[in-house]
């Protein structure tokens, strides 16, 4: 079976590439590849497929480019039979007990297997712990297809590194890890990705190594942010401004530049659990990673408790106060609400019988309602606040003057207005001059 002619066939237009999973990761990959080769974009979500086909990008990852793309969007899995290079980019969440939820990749593997053509290379991009691609996905594809891996088709892994909402570090200018089950597949996979990755690809020796790269790089970020969150809690108790401390620390050449914050989303808040779960299966119990996760998972509650304390010190009765939250997405300038830790703020406030008003023009109200039971309120319908929690650093929040922010509060003494600046969006001198009671992480 020939596998070393797939790249040339894609370039010549005689072969097709397929994407399985068209979310925040898969859709931008499909659109980028379609600038150079024939691409089939498959997703089981017919609504999503129809939106893309109509030129609507609900992820906001490619914007207007969706209207002109040549991607052949479909919800028909049999169309995968037309492709000889298949990329799988489905989500990999965790269960309630933080164990890996492999159902999406298992389902995608079944779909691929049922529609696999001999001579195809399949590459997984979904974040998994080392061993999943070869030990979980390959057997499923072999069973469904009746084709032998390494003989009739080949497997590879190239972890996604897309940063949702980031217009600087995009798909094409982030170096991409690539791997294959053998030299032939690794070489062909590298050549295919080199079509779109301007920054260059980084081959590694095995699929398990590539899988480890992804979960380790995100675990590293998670641990560093956890340390910053601990620093923030210590500084808060000491009456020291965390942002000023970090500004001073970052004046040294070897400072890492991390900041405290809410760690949610589909990667940093999830991937460490994939690594620690794999370690547990080998008899090793994480000493650092899980403690970092514990700290970061507690920050939503910590912010809510800080808001309660500030309201009490401002002379407000928290249960009777009007609390408004700006932002519910997991990060700034991005509509993605997956694993949002703002929800932890909301839930902790509800423990105090406080039902906050939440607004976020970036988020999909239907998704917020379905996933979290949160009714998003349009900004022009928000009530005047006693306590305003700016939870996400969207540009429209960052650009607001203190005068504009004060207009969002009820009439009354400034010292009875409580502003919780979770992301330290506003300058300390402006906060002090506002006369309001303020707190920032």
């Amino acid at each position: 079976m020939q596998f070393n002619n797939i790249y040339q066939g894609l370039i010549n237009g005689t072969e097709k590439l397929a994407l399985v999973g068209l979310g925040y990761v898969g859709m931008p990959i499909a659109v980028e590849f379609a600038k150079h080769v024939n691409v089939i974009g498959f997703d089981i979500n017919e609504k999503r497929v129809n939106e893309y086909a109509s030129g609507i990008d609900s992820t906001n990852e490619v914007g207007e480019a969706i209207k002109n793309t040549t991607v052949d969007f479909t919800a028909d899995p049999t169309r995968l039979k037309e492709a000889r290079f298949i990329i799988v980019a489905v989500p990999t969440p965790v269960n309630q007990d933080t164990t890996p939820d492999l159902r999406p990749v298992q389902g995608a593997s079944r779909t691929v297997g049922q529609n696999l053509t001999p001579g195809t290379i399949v590459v997984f991009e979904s974040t998994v712990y080392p061993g999943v691609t070869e030990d979980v996905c390959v057997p499923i594809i072999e069973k469904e297809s009746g084709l032998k891996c390494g003989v009739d088709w080949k497997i590879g892994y190239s972890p996604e590194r897309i940063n949702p909402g980031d217009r600087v570090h995009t798909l094409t200018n982030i170096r991409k890890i690539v791997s294959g089950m053998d030299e032939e597949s690794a070489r062909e996979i590298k050549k295919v990705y080199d079509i779109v990755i301007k920054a260059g690809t980084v081959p590694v020796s095995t699929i398990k190594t590539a899988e480890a790269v992804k979960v380790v790089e995100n675990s590293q970020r998670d641990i560093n942010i956890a340390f910053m969150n601990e620093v923030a809690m210590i500084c808060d108790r000491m009456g020291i401004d965390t942002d000023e401390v970090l500004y001073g620390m970052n004046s040294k050449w070897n400072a890492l530049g991390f900041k405290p914050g809410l760690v949610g989303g589909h990667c940093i808040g999830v991937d460490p659990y994939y690594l620690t779960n794999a370690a547990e299966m080998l008899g090793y119990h994480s000493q650092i990673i899980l403690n970092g996760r514990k700290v970061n998972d507690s920050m939503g509650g910590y912010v809510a408790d800080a808001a309660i304390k500030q309201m009490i010190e401002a002379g407000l009765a928290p249960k009777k106060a009007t609390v408004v939250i700006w932002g519910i997405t997991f990060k700034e300038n991005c509509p993605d609400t997956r694993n949002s830790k703002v929800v932890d703020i909301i839930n902790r406030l509800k423990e105090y019988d406080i039902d906050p008003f939440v607004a976020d023009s970036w988020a999909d109200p239907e998704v917020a309602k379905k996933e979290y039971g949160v009714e998003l309120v349009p900004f022009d319908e928000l009530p005047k606040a006693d306590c305003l929690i700016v939870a996400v650093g969207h540009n429209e929040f960052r650009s607001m003057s203190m005068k504009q922010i004060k207009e969002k509060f009820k009439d009354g003494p400034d010292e009875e207005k409580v502003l919780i600046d979770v992301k330290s969006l506003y300058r300390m001198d402006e906060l002090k001059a506002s006369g309001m009671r303020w707190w920032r992480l």
Side-chain angles (χ1 to χ4, degrees):
M1 192 70 66
Q2 288 290 314
F3 297 92
N4 59 5
N5 59 1
I6 294 178
Y7 164 80
Q8 199 58 52
L10 289 171
I11 294 297
N12 294 340
T14 57
E15 301 290 356
K16 295 180 181 180
L17 179 150
L19 254 296
V20 176
L22 298 174
Y24 286 85
V25 174
M27 191 271 290
I29 298 171
V31 170
E32 194 60 41
F33 266 113
K35 296 175 183 177
H36 309 275
V37 304
N38 295 321
V39 176
I40 297 168
F42 167 76
D43 198 287
I44 59 175
N45 186 330
E46 289 192 35
K47 178 187 176 185
R48 175 181 290 170
V49 168
N50 291 334
E51 284 181 347
Y52 292 157
S54 302
I56 300 171
D57 171 20
S58 58
T59 70
N60 203 43
E61 286 301 302
V62 300
E64 292 296 307
I66 195 73
K67 296 179 180 178
N68 303 314
T69 185
T70 59
V71 176
D72 187 355
F73 293 111
T74 182
D76 179 5
T78 63
R79 295 289 311 281
L80 298 177
K81 295 176 181 178
E82 302 171 27
R84 283 193 62 207
F85 195 94
I86 298 177
I87 298 173
V88 180
V90 295
T92 45
V94 292
N95 297 306
Q96 284 293 107
D97 61 356
T98 72
T99 56
D101 180 0
L102 296 178
R103 287 175 296 178
V105 291
Q106 290 168 329
S109 298
R110 281 190 288 272
T111 299
V112 169
Q114 291 161 5
N115 299 282
L116 188 65
T117 301
T120 299
I121 292 178
V122 180
V123 180
F124 280 79
E125 290 212 5
S126 305
T127 302
V128 292
Y129 59 80
V132 168
T133 302
E134 293 163 293
D135 301 339
V136 176
C137 299
V138 166
I140 293 174
I141 297 173
E142 285 185 327
K143 178 183 177 182
E144 296 292 339
S145 66
L147 301 174
K148 183 68 175 174
C149 184
V151 178
D152 303 308
W153 63 282
K154 293 198 174 182
I155 192 82
Y157 184 79
S158 179
E160 59 90 0
R161 279 178 161 176
I162 288 176
N163 188 22
D166 192 334
R167 296 295 172 262
V168 177
H169 304 99
T170 57
L171 171 67
T172 60
N173 59 27
I174 302 173
R175 298 185 73 193
K176 192 121 172 54
I177 303 294
V178 292
S179 66
M181 64 180 297
D182 54 23
E183 288 188 16
E184 182 184 45
S185 57
R187 190 164 52 245
E188 203 68 8
I189 290 167
K190 173 176 168 51
K191 286 163 64 177
V192 172
Y193 275 107
D194 279 337
I195 295 172
V196 297
I197 306 299
K198 297 175 183 176
T201 48
V202 183
V204 295
S205 60
T206 67
I207 288 174
K208 284 185 178 180
T209 300
E211 291 168 325
V213 167
K214 174 63 178 180
V215 289
V216 168
E217 68 185 23
N218 277 342
S219 297
Q220 174 196 230
R221 287 184 56 77
D222 193 43
I223 291 166
N224 277 287
I225 297 170
F227 171 58
M228 290 296 102
N229 279 332
E230 279 206 336
V231 168
M233 290 187 282
I234 293 169
C235 287
D236 189 28
R237 285 166 171 77
M238 292 180 171
I240 303 169
D241 183 70
T242 308
D243 199 54
E244 188 176 9
V245 171
L246 298 185
Y247 173 79
M249 182 190 75
N250 288 327
S251 65
K252 190 178 180 185
W253 61 269
N254 61 352
L256 299 179
F258 286 94
K259 288 190 172 184
L262 304 176
V263 185
H266 66 296
C267 283
I268 301 178
V270 172
D271 295 354
Y273 288 125
Y274 274 73
L275 181 58
T276 57
N277 184 263
E280 290 278 1
M281 289 190 290
L282 296 172
Y284 180 78
H285 181 72
S286 167
Q287 303 298 308
I288 297 175
I289 301 170
L290 286 178
N291 282 322
R293 281 278 73 240
K294 184 177 180 181
V295 170
N296 287 341
D297 278 347
S298 72
M299 294 312 293
Y302 186 79
V303 170
D305 290 346
I308 295 294
K309 179 181 178 183
Q310 293 299 320
M311 281 189 277
I312 292 172
E313 292 186 359
L316 299 170
K319 285 187 180 181
K320 297 180 180 179
T322 300
V323 179
V324 174
I325 298 177
W326 285 358
I328 194 174
T329 61
F330 91 88
K331 67 178 294 186
E332 65 274 7
N333 308 321
C334 170
D336 195 348
T337 55
R338 286 177 295 175
N339 194 30
S340 170
K341 294 304 175 185
V342 179
V343 177
D344 292 348
I345 299 177
I346 297 169
N347 291 338
R348 177 62 67 88
L349 290 174
K350 287 183 176 180
E351 291 178 14
Y352 293 102
D353 293 329
I354 299 170
D355 196 7
F357 297 87
V358 185
D360 193 328
S361 59
W362 285 84
D364 185 330
E366 290 185 17
V367 174
K369 177 64 176 175
K370 179 181 177 182
E371 295 298 321
Y372 304 116
V374 175
E375 296 272 7
L376 293 183
V377 180
F379 273 93
D380 57 4
E381 296 179 18
L382 283 173
K384 297 286 187 177
D386 290 305
C387 173
L388 173 59
I389 302 174
V390 184
V392 184
H394 294 319
N395 285 343
E396 58 265 39
F397 304 157
R398 190 181 297 272
S399 63
M400 292 187 76
S401 68
M402 204 52 56
K403 180 176 181 294
Q404 291 173 310
I405 290 173
K406 288 179 74 171
E407 290 172 353
K408 306 301 180 183
F409 285 88
K410 294 178 180 178
D411 293 334
D414 286 342
E415 60 269 21
E416 293 180 6
K417 300 178 175 73
V418 175
L419 174 62
I420 305 297
D421 179 12
V422 176
K423 299 287 290 183
S424 296
L425 302 183
Y426 311 111
R427 296 205 323 257
M428 188 160 57
D429 59 334
E430 293 179 334
L431 291 168
K432 288 180 177 179
S434 72
M436 295 188 294
R437 185 160 200 93
W438 57 271
W439 179 93
R440 60 183 187 175
L441 185 60

